Amino acid sequence: MKIVKIMNNNVVNALDEKNRELIVLGKGIGFQKRKGDEVEEAKVEKVFRLPDQSKSQFEKLVEEIPYVYVKYTDEIVKEAEETLGKKLNKNIYITLTDHLHFAIERYRQNIIFQNALLWEIKKFYVKEYDIGLKVLELLKEQEGVELSVDEAAFIALHIVNAEMDGDLSQTISMPGMIKDMLDIVRYTFQMDLDEDSLSYERFVTHLKFFIQRAINRQYYPNEDNELYELFQKKSPKANDCAKKIKKYMEKKTGTEVTDEELMYLTVHIDRVIRHRD
């Protein structure tokens, strides 16, 4: 790899053998280097690509924030990808690095932010929240700061956003929307849901992807109206509840929910109210 731009002593832009531009991280990788020099492979700690529109943001970030915060983000990304079994959008190197730096600066100035979605995030994004808690331990050990669990929830949201390739402002709305839709089921049937059941876990997972499809305008297309009509007749009460969720979703996102989506909602609602695993 050849260096095309030195962002700082620890971060450079480089071109690989296919002439693709990469971000290369490594302690001292840019120290006393010039454009055109070969990257010292022994110093490489991380290589990734960013969308063109994100490169300038990252460059500005690493000019203003100590390299250690980029390293923390890299550790978090590795942990998250291993735990979740999926790749995260590389823009998390911008959003989470900035957040970690800002959170620690706020802590040292005794400025505490509360996370209004703490309960929902703990409930619906268990794995991501657990990663957030591990990050708090890492920062306590490395930086001597004791951030609140609210920060674990904020970190979890950044991870969720990177999982979805989404916009953080939209991701923030997801836990509250999941809670609202579960409440629609509870109020419709006047019953508590068995939150330890497999059917409940499957329903929550379905709602996460349901919201993600709405945000990305990628609902399931209408393919089998006869099958949907069958489920309408088989589970009329669950279907009525699904229609309430449809109305809520359309008002919330401005997207029209398809009959195919209604069918899947009906199936999951029927299962969760019957506690069928």
Side-chain angles (χ1 to χ4, degrees):
M1 291 184 288
K2 290 198 175 201
I3 296 173
V4 293
K5 188 172 185 179
I6 298 167
M7 296 188 185
N8 62 29
N9 285 341
N10 309 300
V11 186
V12 300
N13 272 355
L15 294 178
D16 66 9
E17 65 280 357
K18 294 182 179 179
N19 218 35
R20 295 175 299 187
E21 191 169 334
L22 306 168
I23 305 291
V24 185
L25 310 179
K27 190 70 173 175
I29 204 162
F31 182 63
Q32 293 185 337
K33 294 293 183 180
R34 295 181 180 180
K35 180 179 177 181
D37 286 350
E38 288 287 335
V39 173
E40 292 185 54
E41 296 291 339
K43 291 184 177 180
V44 174
E45 296 173 0
K46 181 74 177 180
V47 178
F48 61 90
R49 300 177 69 186
L50 282 174
D52 290 340
Q53 64 269 25
S54 301
K55 289 175 186 173
S56 60
Q57 290 176 271
F58 186 74
E59 183 176 348
K60 185 177 180 181
L61 187 73
V62 297
E63 286 175 354
E64 297 175 352
I65 292 178
Y67 174 65
V68 67
Y69 291 100
V70 183
K71 284 283 293 173
Y72 292 149
T73 295
D74 188 41
E75 290 182 45
I76 296 164
V77 169
K78 287 176 183 175
E79 171 76 19
E81 290 184 339
E82 184 176 332
T83 300
L84 302 170
K86 62 179 70 173
K87 293 293 183 182
L88 302 185
N89 186 302
K90 293 300 182 273
N91 279 330
I92 194 172
Y93 279 92
I94 298 173
T95 59
L96 185 54
T97 300
D98 188 44
H99 178 83
L100 294 175
H101 178 253
F102 186 46
I104 290 174
E105 289 297 301
R106 282 191 282 104
Y107 174 87
R108 288 172 175 160
Q109 296 171 31
N110 202 30
I111 300 171
I112 308 299
F113 281 2
Q114 289 189 321
N115 192 325
L117 295 171
L118 175 61
W119 184 89
E120 287 87 351
I121 293 166
K122 287 171 66 175
K123 196 81 172 173
F124 303 131
Y125 295 98
V126 177
K127 290 182 179 179
E128 291 87 350
Y129 179 72
D130 284 346
I131 294 168
L133 291 176
K134 289 181 181 178
V135 175
L136 298 195
E137 290 298 317
L138 170 70
L139 296 178
K140 180 180 178 181
E141 179 183 328
Q142 298 295 324
E143 297 289 329
V145 299
E146 295 192 44
L147 301 180
S148 70
V149 292
D150 295 88
E151 286 298 337
F154 283 125
I155 291 164
L157 276 179
H158 281 282
I159 295 170
V160 172
N161 190 59
E163 287 181 81
M164 290 178 53
D165 289 342
D167 179 87
L168 189 58
S169 62
Q170 293 174 326
T171 302
I172 288 170
S173 69
M174 287 179 62
M177 291 173 69
I178 294 170
K179 180 178 181 297
D180 288 345
M181 287 187 281
L182 290 170
D183 283 344
I184 288 172
V185 177
R186 291 186 178 100
Y187 295 150
T188 298
F189 293 96
Q190 291 295 296
M191 64 180 289
D192 291 328
L193 302 179
D194 182 1
E195 297 182 7
D196 294 324
S197 69
L198 184 57
S199 56
Y200 177 87
E201 183 180 331
R202 286 172 175 164
F203 186 37
V204 170
T205 299
H206 179 78
L207 292 178
K208 291 178 186 178
F209 287 105
F210 177 49
I211 297 169
Q212 184 176 344
R213 289 192 295 275
I215 290 172
N216 295 331
R217 303 295 195 267
Q218 293 176 343
Y219 277 139
Y220 291 138
N222 289 324
E223 292 182 345
D224 196 336
N225 289 332
E226 289 184 7
L227 187 59
Y228 171 55
E229 289 171 7
L230 177 66
F231 278 105
Q232 277 185 303
K233 293 175 182 177
K234 181 183 176 184
S235 309
K237 292 183 179 179
N239 184 245
D240 286 343
C241 183
K243 287 177 179 176
K244 292 178 183 178
I245 291 176
K246 164 187 163 81
K247 185 176 180 181
Y248 167 85
M249 180 64 81
E250 290 178 341
K251 182 177 180 181
K252 201 79 175 174
T253 66
T255 60
E256 185 176 350
V257 176
T258 64
D259 285 349
E260 195 85 1
E261 291 286 356
L262 263 179
M263 180 180 71
Y264 286 113
L265 280 171
T266 300
V267 170
H268 279 285
I269 292 168
D270 184 65
R271 283 176 178 166
V272 81
I273 63 173
R274 293 175 186 273
H275 307 277
R276 285 209 306 259
D277 290 339

